[in-house]
Amino acid sequence: DTGVSQDPRHKITKRGQNVTFRCDPISEHNRLYWYRQTLGQGPEFLTYFQNEAQLEKSRLLSDRFSAERPKGSFSTLEIQRTEQGDSAMYLCASTLVTGGYEQYFGPGTRLTVT
Amino acid sequence: ELKVEQNPLFLSMQEGKNYTIYCNYSTTSDRLYWYRQDPGKSLESLFVLLSNGAVKQEGRLMASLDTKARLSTLHITAAVHDLSATYFCAVDPSGTYKYIFGTGTRLKVLA
């Protein structure tokens, strides 16, 4: 068990470009979450998967954001036509659907849109 | 609207002192979580509180949950510099599995 990993750790992109982030959860965890965190704020829920099914998506998430979790393993988060307001830390977390639902967070991907 | 509010937002305290951080939430939830975040780092799980009256302690930190009052506290005993970080509480509104995080409390322990 190596914990939750995310790639890349940092991404700088120009406005209008598309970016994709990857998250590898803890192997036995069947639920995976994406959050966005801006400076001085708590993590904001974006979406979550149970196995390969996307069960919930925040109403705050625009159509430029899409997430997938093929085969219920790793997940990707894509942002199309990035805007400066997308600059944030994108966090992934995983959990088991039993017990206390404790979330384990990855190191995050810091996105800067110039 | 679901709200999770923490106070204080900023806390500067001397080493050796005690203090309590409060987490109030506006929705029904039987599960509450506390996390620590160091600058530029991700979140580290501290406590999982699963029922009314739950109390958990780890080192100088103790967390409790009162679901009827919709209140959780994180008590710091004899603070040390290493506890300097931002602390978040989060709730899991019943049946939604969407974790709502508080505003965070930025703690600075002065030597």
Side-chain angles (χ1 to χ4, degrees), chain B residues 33-61:
Chain B
Y33 307 81
W34 283 97
Y35 293 89
R36 168 184 173 141
Q37 187 175 39
D38 291 295
K41 305 289 185 182
S42 190
L43 281 79
E44 173 192 355
S45 178
L46 293 174
F47 299 109
V48 178
L49 303 170
L50 298 178
S51 61
N52 185 42
V55 177
K56 290 203 173 175
Q57 182 162 7
E58 179 75 34
R60 300 173 188 275
L61 301 177

Side-chain angles (χ1 to χ4, degrees), chain A residues 31 33 37 100-102 106, chain B residues 33 37 42 45 88 97-99:
Chain A
R31 196 165 275 174
Y33 288 76
Q37 186 179 27
Y101 299 88
E102 184 176 7
Chain B
Y33 307 81
Q37 187 175 39
S42 190
S45 178
F88 292 98
Y97 305 110
K98 287 164 55 176
Y99 296 77

Side-chain angles (χ1 to χ4, degrees), chain A:
Chain A
D1 176 4
T2 57
V4 179
S5 62
Q6 292 185 246
D7 184 70
R9 298 290 303 276
H10 303 274
K11 179 72 177 178
I12 300 173
T13 191
K14 294 189 179 197
R15 191 163 48 114
Q17 298 295 305
N18 299 343
V19 293
T20 300
F21 309 141
R22 176 178 170 128
C23 171
D24 286 88
I26 293 171
S27 57
E28 64 268 27
H29 285 186
N30 46 9
R31 196 165 275 174
L32 185 150
Y33 288 76
W34 285 101
Y35 293 89
R36 176 172 60 193
Q37 186 179 27
T38 53
L39 199 61
Q41 301 295 317
E44 175 188 24
F45 169 82
L46 294 179
T47 188
Y48 85 90
F49 294 83
Q50 183 162 317
N51 300 315
E52 66 275 7
Q54 188 173 17
L55 295 187
E56 193 77 38
K57 187 174 173 180
S58 170
R59 284 174 287 179
L60 301 174
L61 214 58
S62 78
D63 291 342
R64 296 183 297 106
F65 288 71
S66 62
E68 293 183 341
R69 193 182 182 199
K71 302 178 184 177
S73 56
F74 71 92
S75 175
T76 58
L77 177 69
E78 181 183 17
I79 308 174
Q80 296 182 325
R81 305 181 303 282
T82 52
E83 301 172 357
Q84 286 189 318
D86 296 331
S87 295
M89 175 78 89
Y90 290 83
L91 294 166
C92 174
S94 69
T95 187
L96 270 173
V97 188
T98 53
Y101 299 88
E102 184 176 7
Q103 292 194 312
Y104 294 83
F105 280 83
T109 294
R110 183 168 294 284
L111 173 65
T112 303
V113 182
T114 61

Side-chain angles (χ1 to χ4, degrees), chain B residues 6-23 34 37 60-62 73-88 103-111:
Chain B
Q6 292 180 232
N7 73 81
L9 296 182
F10 299 97
L11 175 57
S12 180
M13 58 192 296
Q14 296 288 330
E15 274 194 331
K17 298 293 187 182
N18 304 334
Y19 209 85
T20 300
I21 298 171
Y22 297 89
C23 173
W34 283 97
Q37 187 175 39
R60 300 173 188 275
L61 301 177
M62 182 173 72
T73 60
L74 181 66
H75 186 73
I76 303 158
T77 302
V80 293
H81 180 70
D82 285 351
L83 290 179
S84 297
T86 299
Y87 293 85
F88 292 98
T103 44
T105 295
R106 196 165 166 187
L107 171 66
K108 186 171 184 179
V109 181
L110 305 172

